[in-house]
């Protein structure tokens, strides 16, 4: 599960070296379900949330606590925080996560992208 993230919630040390993080943080997050030609997006998201510093920053949720866009408007950082929390849960509930919020709002991130269309 995401037990390696639990201590990070209480004591986040952003000065910790990348090599120290890599040796300590070695858990694999949940898989992402392909929602119709989303395999490249899913691969990119997996890479981002498996960077220890990124995962630790997103799991804390500092941005979403103060976000002025949510809940009326889409916020990609809030969506990434939510996705990361779902991928590294405190308790294992599911093996596969559906990144629906990011997929349904992909055009707000890049207006040339279309859900269901291959974007490689």
């Amino acid at each position: 599960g995401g037990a390696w993230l639990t201590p990070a919630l209480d004591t986040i040390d952003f000065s910790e070296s990348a090599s120290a993080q890599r040796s300590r943080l070695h858990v694999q997050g949940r898989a992402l379900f392909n929602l119709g030609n989303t395999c490249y997006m899913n691969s990119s998201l997996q890479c981002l949330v498996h960077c220890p510093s990124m995962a630790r920053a997103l799991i804390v949720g500092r941005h979403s606590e103060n976000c002025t866009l949510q809940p009326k408007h889409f916020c990609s950082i809030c969506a990434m925080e939510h996705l990361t929390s779902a991928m590294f849960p405190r308790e294992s509930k599911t093996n596969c996560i559906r990144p629906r919020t990011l997929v349904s709002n992909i055009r707000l991130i890049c207006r040339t992208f279309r859900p269901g269309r291959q974007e490689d």
Side-chain angles (χ1 to χ4, degrees):
W4 63 273
L5 287 173
T6 304
L9 293 174
D10 299 325
T11 57
I12 297 174
D13 180 9
F14 290 103
S15 65
E16 182 178 39
S17 73
S19 60
Q21 287 180 359
R22 279 193 298 275
S23 66
R24 190 171 53 80
L25 307 177
H26 60 275
V27 171
Q28 179 179 344
R30 304 290 177 257
L32 294 175
F33 192 81
N34 189 330
L35 299 174
N37 287 326
T38 61
C39 53
Y40 288 104
M41 181 187 78
N42 288 353
S43 296
S44 299
L45 292 171
Q46 288 280 6
C47 288
L48 286 171
V49 302
H50 280 86
C51 294
S53 296
M54 176 73 83
R56 292 172 69 196
L58 290 170
I59 202 78
V60 172
R62 286 184 185 160
H63 172 80
S64 59
E65 290 175 0
N66 301 310
C67 183
T68 58
L69 293 174
Q70 292 282 344
K72 293 182 180 183
H73 302 285
F74 171 73
C75 174
S76 59
I77 303 298
C78 290
M80 286 297 296
E81 287 180 352
H82 179 73
L83 178 70
T84 305
S85 295
M87 288 178 68
F88 298 102
R90 289 177 184 254
E91 297 175 10
S92 180
K93 295 180 181 178
T94 183
N95 291 330
C96 197
I97 305 299
R98 287 174 168 77
R100 287 187 184 116
T101 303
L102 287 164
V103 171
S104 63
N105 289 288
I106 194 74
R107 293 203 63 208
L108 297 174
I109 297 169
C110 180
R111 65 187 181 117
T112 62
F113 284 2
R114 302 283 186 274
R117 189 175 84 185
Q118 191 157 338
E119 299 290 351
D120 60 346

